[in-house]
């Protein structure tokens, strides 16, 4: 039996909040020393690369309070309780951009920053798009932008797209289309 | 003067720790309603795409306690106080892999997950590699793996590389080399 590399000895819940919880765990390392790990618990999330027939993609621009600026990102959001990733991706794309898609493909899943959080984001590719209307949460203020897929690499190089899931999803989608 | 989209009204420090702090801020939204934002404060970080003359890249495999598994990632780490990103990248690459590089190029910077943390990771491309020896922190247990760059897309598709900064860095580096 393989020994767990870092064994939990104790766990203390520091905060239970709206989109995250924080706990601090005492763990035993492979060298038998003890240390502690700070873990931000976060629900699973989804993000969508929606491509139209002219190879445009749809990004959302919104103010991100933790970084103090507006960012250009893939449509994305947190899964609701017991929601399947595909359903969540369809819901978030519709809510944030008003887009419905006839074709959905799972790409891959990413850990946002596994040094301190369990947040995992499932990435999807959406095609055969048609448009209904945005329906945002009360505290969401989001502008939708259409960008030619071929401009994405230059936008990443210039720092205009600088969100990790969006870069991973956009460059990752190019492996599939 | 443009009004800040989300204005801080109050701020409460919930936790001050080793690699992160947590605060909960009361904010006023553009529609004048109030809500709160949970913000994980984290130091800036660096990650390195190190490519040798045969187009192999060097990844590190380590157990990530928050996600409960070993992940294959770019060499990376947190900047020390007042450390420049390039110096931090050189230090982390040397410590984690024992690699020194003769050529360094800044790629771009990413926000890990801007919905709840300010963590930003600066990505670098390192070439003209030569090898010294690993010098890990006491609580780091890291194995170095050499992978042909051309295998990276398939490893991402199969979920063998599933860390956001690593996917962004590896696919992003391909825009430069």
């Amino acid at each position: 039996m393989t020994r767990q590399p870092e064994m939990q000895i104790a766990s203390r819940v520091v905060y239970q909040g709206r989109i995250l919880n924080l706990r601090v765990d005492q763990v035993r390392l492979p060298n038998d020393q003890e240390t502690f790990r700070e873990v931000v618990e976060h629900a699973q999330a989804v993000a969508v690369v929606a491509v139209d027939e002219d190879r445009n993609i749809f990004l959302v621009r919104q103010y991100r309070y933790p970084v103090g600026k507006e960012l250009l990102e893939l449509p994305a959001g947190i899964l609701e309780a017991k929601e399947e990733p595909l359903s969540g991706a369809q819901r978030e794309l519709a809510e944030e951009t008003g887009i419905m898609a006839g074709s959905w493909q799972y790409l891959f899943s990413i850990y946002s920053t596994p040094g301190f959080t369990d947040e995992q984001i499932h990435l999807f590719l959406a095609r055969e798009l048609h448009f209904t209307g945005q329906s945002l949460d009360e505290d969401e203020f989001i502008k939708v932008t259409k960008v030619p897929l071929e401009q994405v690499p230059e936008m990443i190089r210039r720092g205009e797209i600088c969100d990790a899931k969006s870069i991973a999803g956009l460059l990752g989608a190019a492996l599939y289309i």
Side-chain angles (χ1 to χ4, degrees), chain A:
Chain A
M1 209 175 85
T2 309
R3 177 177 155 175
Q4 189 83 347
E6 300 190 4
M7 287 210 315
Q8 186 192 74
I9 299 167
S11 184
R12 176 169 68 93
V13 174
V14 172
Y15 175 80
Q16 291 188 286
R18 184 169 55 188
I19 66 163
L20 58 84
N21 304 321
L22 173 63
R23 59 174 221 267
V24 179
D25 288 6
Q26 195 76 15
V27 302
R28 183 169 294 125
L29 298 174
N31 63 2
D32 275 329
Q33 290 192 346
E34 291 183 16
T35 187
F36 64 95
R37 297 289 184 219
E38 298 157 328
V39 180
V40 174
E41 299 175 341
H42 190 279
Q44 298 201 355
V46 289
V48 182
V49 183
V51 187
D52 73 11
E53 68 265 38
D54 300 319
R55 292 177 70 83
N56 296 301
I57 48 134
F58 292 83
L59 299 176
V60 293
R61 185 180 293 281
Q62 66 185 310
Y63 185 76
R64 289 300 204 169
Y65 184 81
V67 303
K69 61 177 83 157
E70 277 196 353
L71 296 186
L72 200 54
E73 302 172 45
L74 291 179
I78 297 172
L79 287 183
E80 294 173 354
K82 295 186 182 170
E83 190 177 37
E84 291 297 322
L86 175 59
S87 306
Q90 292 171 332
R91 178 183 51 73
E92 286 289 351
L93 182 65
E95 287 175 3
E96 293 196 348
T97 69
I99 295 172
M100 311 274 280
S103 157
W104 285 85
Q105 183 179 354
Y106 170 70
L107 296 174
F108 48 82
S109 301
I110 61 177
Y111 290 108
S112 299
T113 180
F116 69 87
T117 180
D118 59 3
E119 187 191 31
Q120 190 177 28
I121 305 176
H122 308 290
L123 295 163
F124 289 87
L125 178 62
R127 286 181 279 197
E128 301 172 22
L129 311 183
H130 51 278
F131 296 82
T132 57
Q134 256 183 334
S135 81
L136 298 174
D137 289 344
E138 200 176 286
D139 62 347
E140 285 183 315
F141 301 87
I142 288 177
K143 284 162 274 186
V144 180
T145 308
K146 188 167 81 166
V147 173
L149 188 55
E150 64 178 22
Q151 285 181 15
V152 164
E154 189 52 30
M155 293 175 76
I156 294 170
R157 270 193 289 256
R158 284 200 300 256
E160 291 166 19
I161 301 171
C162 57
D163 160 58
K165 70 173 173 304
S166 302
I167 295 174
L170 287 163
L171 297 180
L175 307 176
Y176 292 78
I177 59 180

